[in-house]
Amino acid sequence: CQVSGSRGVTFTNHKSNQDMDQASPPTKVNDGSLVAPEHPSPRYHVFFSRTTKIVEWDDDLFVDMRPCEADSAMDEHIEACSVYDEKDVQLTSHPCDETEATALAETTVADTMRVAQECDDGVMTATHSDHDSSVTVPDLSPDVEKLPNNHFAGKVALFVDKYGCDCHSVAVTEIVARLVRA
């Protein structure tokens, strides 16, 4: 597509007709010349993932268990931890600019961390709950971390007690939101 201005300035656009429908036409400036439109800013989708893994087992869980029972108990606890796991859930129905996508990603991670820190679903409980535990709770940052490649992440430690027997293995939930260029 070519557009000629009154001063002989020619604007040439080599995009297809479909791209032209979305592109801005050249604009006139005060002296009457045409200026090429700015390239539209990149658009992004936001994807969310949450994974929980047990990082330390409470040895009291395995008291009076045979090895095969201990294996089953571990499997049941691992399965109970993964009930909230999600992988690459798309949070945006349409592409957003980088500012909107960044705000959505950071807010989603922060809100999910806050909810996880208050967890008490009968299996997983917050580590700040009144539990007398012999396990070590990892010292995790309460803040959302900005990682390279437009990723935002946070981690939350939780006690896991599938059987309600006051055994408190420790799980870490990792929450990640990432921007993907549309």
Side-chain angles (χ1 to χ4, degrees):
C1 173
Q2 287 190 350
V3 178
S4 296
S6 60
R7 298 185 181 237
V9 176
T10 302
F11 170 75
T12 304
N13 188 341
H14 298 283
K15 293 183 177 181
S16 68
N17 287 339
Q18 181 181 9
D19 289 340
M20 285 298 294
D21 291 340
Q22 298 171 357
S24 303
T27 56
K28 285 188 180 185
V29 291
N30 289 342
D31 66 0
S33 62
L34 294 175
V35 178
E38 293 182 27
H39 294 290
S41 62
R43 308 296 281 176
Y44 296 89
H45 284 288
V46 179
F47 289 86
F48 170 83
S49 295
R50 175 182 170 153
T51 55
T52 303
K53 293 184 172 56
I54 295 178
V55 295
E56 185 171 347
W57 293 95
D58 186 337
D59 291 334
D60 291 342
L61 174 66
F62 308 110
V63 172
D64 296 330
M65 285 190 184
R66 295 183 204 137
C68 65
E69 293 171 324
D71 287 344
S72 293
M74 290 174 77
D75 290 343
E76 289 176 15
H77 277 73
I78 290 168
E79 185 179 330
C81 285
S82 66
V83 71
Y84 299 114
D85 288 0
E86 299 179 277
K87 180 80 171 144
D88 286 334
V89 175
Q90 185 171 333
L91 299 179
T92 50
S93 58
H94 62 280
C96 309
D97 67 30
E98 187 171 11
T99 303
E100 292 172 312
T102 297
L104 176 62
E106 284 183 294
T107 302
T108 299
V109 172
D111 288 349
T112 305
M113 288 174 66
R114 183 181 46 75
V115 169
Q117 288 167 344
E118 300 302 320
C119 182
D120 188 1
D121 67 359
V123 174
M124 292 189 285
T125 55
T127 54
H128 60 75
S129 300
D130 295 329
H131 292 291
D132 183 25
S133 180
S134 60
V135 295
T136 305
V137 177
D139 186 24
L140 302 173
S141 171
D143 300 321
V144 174
E145 185 179 356
K146 183 169 185 346
L147 304 173
N149 299 325
N150 288 326
H151 284 61
F152 298 87
K155 293 181 180 180
V156 176
L158 299 165
F159 286 132
V160 182
D161 184 9
K162 168 83 171 141
Y163 303 137
C165 59
D166 284 334
C167 295
H168 300 101
S169 298
V170 178
V172 171
T173 296
E174 183 173 16
I175 301 139
V176 176
R178 61 189 179 89
L179 279 58
V180 175
R181 199 163 182 172

